[in-house]
Amino acid sequence: VAWRDRGEIILVDSDEEAQLKFTALADGGQLRMPLGKTFFASSFGMVSDRFGVLWMVLAQPRPTTG
């Protein structure tokens, strides 16, 4: 399977969880876009893992009710 033309998305609830997952996937892989704040997410980044699979990690914290 050629993964160059597609990617997988990991959606998490916190920036901390996004950082953990992003760091784990980047180990032995290649950074495509550093994890950081964007207009659509509190954290977003792209990385190809050691097998060449493209991952997009996206944090969208849930609003607190109060």
Side-chain angles (χ1 to χ4, degrees):
V1 174
W3 288 95
R4 285 181 252 166
D5 297 332
R6 61 182 136 176
E8 300 294 323
I9 297 173
I10 298 176
L11 180 61
V12 297
D13 293 330
S14 71
D15 295 328
E16 294 78 18
E17 188 177 358
Q19 184 65 57
L20 288 172
K21 299 217 183 279
F22 191 83
T23 300
L25 289 165
D27 185 26
Q30 183 177 9
L31 182 65
R32 299 293 181 168
M33 179 180 171
L35 191 66
K37 185 172 177 62
T38 67
F39 71 93
F40 59 87
S42 61
S43 289
F44 176 79
M46 296 189 300
V47 63
S48 292
D49 67 15
R50 68 184 99 180
F51 304 106
V53 178
L54 176 65
W55 294 92
M56 292 167 270
V57 180
L58 186 131
Q60 289 186 323
R62 295 174 191 241
T64 56
T65 57

